[in-house]
Amino acid sequence: MKATTTPPISGLDRFFAITERGSTLSREVRGGLATFFTMAYIVVLNPIIIGTAKDVEGQFIGDGLAANLPLVASGTAFVAGLLSILMGVVGRVPFAMAAGLGLNAFVTYGIASKMSWEAAMGLVFLEGVIIAILVLTGFRVAVFNAIPAPLKTAISVGIGLFIALIGFVDAGFVRRVAAGPPLEMGISGALSSWPLFVFIVGLLATAVLVARKVKGAILIGIVGTTVLAMIVEALTKTGQATKDNQDGWQLNTPSIPDQIFGFNNPLTLFTEFDPLGAFSQVSVILAVLFIFTLLVTDFFDTMGTVVGVGRQAGLVDEEGRLPRTREILLVDSIGAAAGGAGSVSSNTTYIESASGVAEGARTGLASVVTGVLFLLSILVAPLVVVVPYEAAAPALVVVGFMMMTAVREIDWHDFDIAIPAFLTIVLMPFTYSISNGIGAGFVSYVLIQAFRGRSRNVHPLLWVVAGLFVVYFALGPIRSLLGV
């Protein structure tokens, strides 16, 4: 009988543990592509948020009197690319990074409205340094490991609902209204536009592909829906969504750009941040409160994302712990500092990484692929914006479903954990914030345990974290009392 031999494992395979985690090179590449195409919108959206707003001195990012969106887009892609590669090599997990949504809006409208862009980005940089110190001292990892497993599951489920809502909102399928109910379906309650038709077709097609377990289902869905969107736009000339054209495409129009190649040097933005500038432009108390708000949001948004995507990838143990947690959180902390230094706002681990995981990605090689694509997008930025929200959103909705399936692991008969889990899950989509959901879950869990006479069941760090969240939720009254 002829002996069988195991094929030799390459150095690349050993480094990323591709075979060990049940993956293959093709799956990792496919997952990296899927994650990139799901995240690529940030290269367009981040400049729209931070690049079109003036600071308190009337300046745009880049110390200019006019907005330089191509430069901000280039910087966004550059920092995201480097950090995603770093996460892949150091963290060795399929978690990609980019400028954090929500954080960038807070920096723009909450901080830069009271100081210069250089000072605002300086505060982001300081927050990143502080959170990195918390990782190196073991505090951030200890907090991560102190969370009860059911709450970690609730975080994953809540993020699933949140990411699905993001997909529905991005596509315009769910919209805010001026009067009546806070949300409605489509335009005035009707699905009456071509972009919505594209989104629905893309969602149904992606769902069928996933249900049939087709390899590359998410990526096929994104690319196929983008092609459909370009065909529909060429035939209908729907155009960009505006106040006067509510039937238009969200974010960008799916058409071949006139200019395919272009380059703006992102390194120029690294000279535009001032770590100590805020303390001379606003009160020390206000500057500290800004840093605290950034830190809490970044700290727990990342924690929720890491738990959710890690669980989806099958990388967590029974206690919800990840391999190389310290390295993962350290790279994420570096992302905050790098985002401030690069004047593109704090970079964080992206929940959209779940799209790559859904394609089979299990290792850091997928993140390296995503990072390389971000770097390449600096040169072909016009092509990146071809993918409209309506084409990327179906993937988010389907991934949201996949993440929500973990809800069965929560014991809903045990109200001591079920109530905090419920608040964690529902407040994420209802308040459009991962941190709010986590905070509500932690505070309610600690209070219920205390009033049930089970304080000893609560890890000491959870008492500290719950106290910090109480301060976080009370920042408005605190500012009012302090007159800042």
Side-chain angles (χ1 to χ4, degrees):
M1 182 176 180
K2 186 177 181 180
T4 58
T5 58
T6 303
I9 297 178
S10 67
L12 182 70
D13 193 323
R14 282 195 299 272
F15 182 82
F16 288 109
I18 297 174
T19 300
E20 181 182 332
R21 294 185 181 177
S23 184
T24 63
L25 179 62
S26 62
R27 286 183 186 176
E28 297 303 310
V29 172
R30 193 168 65 235
L33 285 166
T35 296
F36 171 74
F37 280 112
T38 310
M39 290 176 60
Y41 67 86
I42 195 62
V43 178
V44 180
L45 187 56
N46 195 48
I48 290 175
I49 294 175
I50 70 173
T52 58
K54 296 180 181 180
D55 61 18
V56 73
E57 299 175 355
Q59 299 285 310
F60 291 95
I61 288 181
D63 196 26
L65 297 175
N68 190 344
L69 297 186
L71 178 61
V72 180
S74 177
T76 300
F78 179 72
V79 176
L82 291 184
L83 290 170
S84 294
I85 292 173
L86 187 64
M87 179 64 82
V89 173
V90 176
R92 300 181 193 175
V93 285
F95 303 162
M97 297 183 65
L101 287 173
L103 283 169
N104 56 5
F106 175 67
V107 172
T108 300
Y109 305 111
I111 300 180
S113 61
K114 294 180 174 59
M115 63 186 72
S116 67
W117 273 114
E118 293 84 355
M121 291 301 176
L123 286 184
V124 175
F125 173 80
L126 288 178
E127 178 261 331
V129 172
I130 293 171
I131 207 168
I133 292 174
L134 293 178
V135 173
L136 292 175
T137 58
F139 179 79
R140 196 180 188 190
V141 178
V143 171
F144 183 89
N145 292 332
I147 305 171
L151 276 185
K152 290 179 181 177
T153 300
I155 290 171
S156 176
V157 174
I159 290 176
L161 286 179
F162 181 55
I163 197 173
L165 179 60
I166 289 175
F168 284 123
V169 171
D170 284 351
F173 186 88
V174 173
R175 305 188 185 211
R176 287 189 292 267
V177 293
L183 297 174
E184 68 178 8
M185 181 181 69
I187 303 168
S188 300
L191 304 175
S192 56
S193 71
W194 283 110
L196 284 175
F197 164 77
V198 169
F199 165 73
I200 294 169
V201 171
L203 176 59
L204 294 175
T206 304
V208 169
L209 291 171
V210 170
R212 292 179 62 86
K213 296 181 171 33
V214 174
K215 292 183 178 179
I218 300 294
L219 182 57
I220 292 172
I222 295 173
V223 175
T225 309
T226 299
V227 172
L228 174 62
M230 295 176 69
I231 294 173
V232 168
E233 171 59 21
L235 294 175
T236 65
K237 306 296 182 184
T238 300
Q240 188 74 33
T242 63
K243 291 182 179 179
D244 298 326
N245 181 28
Q246 295 188 37
D247 292 342
W249 300 94
Q250 302 296 318
L251 187 62
N252 56 69
T253 303
S255 58
I256 299 176
D258 296 330
Q259 181 183 1
I260 296 178
F261 298 100
F263 178 76
N264 290 270
N265 186 1
L267 296 179
T268 60
L269 290 174
F270 280 82
T271 64
E272 300 294 332
F273 80 107
D274 182 359
L276 302 178
F279 296 95
S280 62
Q281 297 183 29
V282 297
S283 67
V284 174
I285 293 177
L286 183 58
V288 170
L289 285 174
F290 280 148
I291 293 175
F292 178 76
T293 303
L294 286 169
L295 190 148
V296 170
T297 303
D298 199 6
F299 192 110
F300 291 101
D301 272 10
T302 295
M303 186 171 294
T305 299
V306 166
V307 170
V309 180
R311 181 179 293 277
Q312 182 72 17
L315 300 178
V316 298
D317 59 20
E318 294 180 354
E319 298 299 321
R321 298 182 181 181
L322 276 164
R324 302 181 69 83
T325 299
R326 187 169 184 265
E327 289 82 356
I328 293 169
L329 296 180
L330 179 60
V331 174
D332 185 86
S333 304
I334 293 172
S343 297
V344 294
S345 186
S346 178
N347 274 232
T348 186
T349 305
Y350 253 56
I351 189 61
E352 283 85 347
S353 302
S355 295
V357 170
E359 283 300 321
R362 295 294 182 269
T363 78
L365 181 58
S367 295
V368 173
V369 172
T370 301
V372 170
L373 291 172
F374 266 120
L375 294 180
L376 291 176
S377 71
I378 297 174
L379 300 176
V380 291
L383 286 181
V384 173
V385 302
V386 168
V387 182
Y389 269 154
E390 289 82 358
L396 299 182
V397 176
V398 172
V399 169
F401 153 74
M402 294 177 176
M403 297 181 68
M404 187 181 170
T405 57
V407 72
R408 63 183 180 275
E409 299 176 17
I410 299 172
D411 183 1
W412 294 103
H413 298 287
D414 181 1
F415 286 4
D416 288 6
I417 193 67
I419 292 174
F422 169 77
L423 292 175
T424 299
I425 291 169
V426 299
L427 285 182
M428 286 188 192
F430 287 174
T431 66
Y432 223 69
S433 168
I434 293 175
S435 290
N436 288 346
I438 295 175
F442 285 3
V443 172
S444 61
Y445 175 76
V446 169
L447 284 177
I448 290 174
Q449 293 297 317
F451 281 101
R452 293 270 286 165
R454 300 173 179 174
S455 299
R456 292 183 178 179
N457 294 343
V458 181
H459 194 288
L461 284 177
L462 278 187
W463 285 98
V464 175
V465 172
L468 290 175
F469 266 116
V470 170
V471 175
Y472 171 73
F473 288 132
L475 279 178
I478 291 173
R479 289 179 183 176
S480 178
L481 288 173
L482 296 176
V484 297

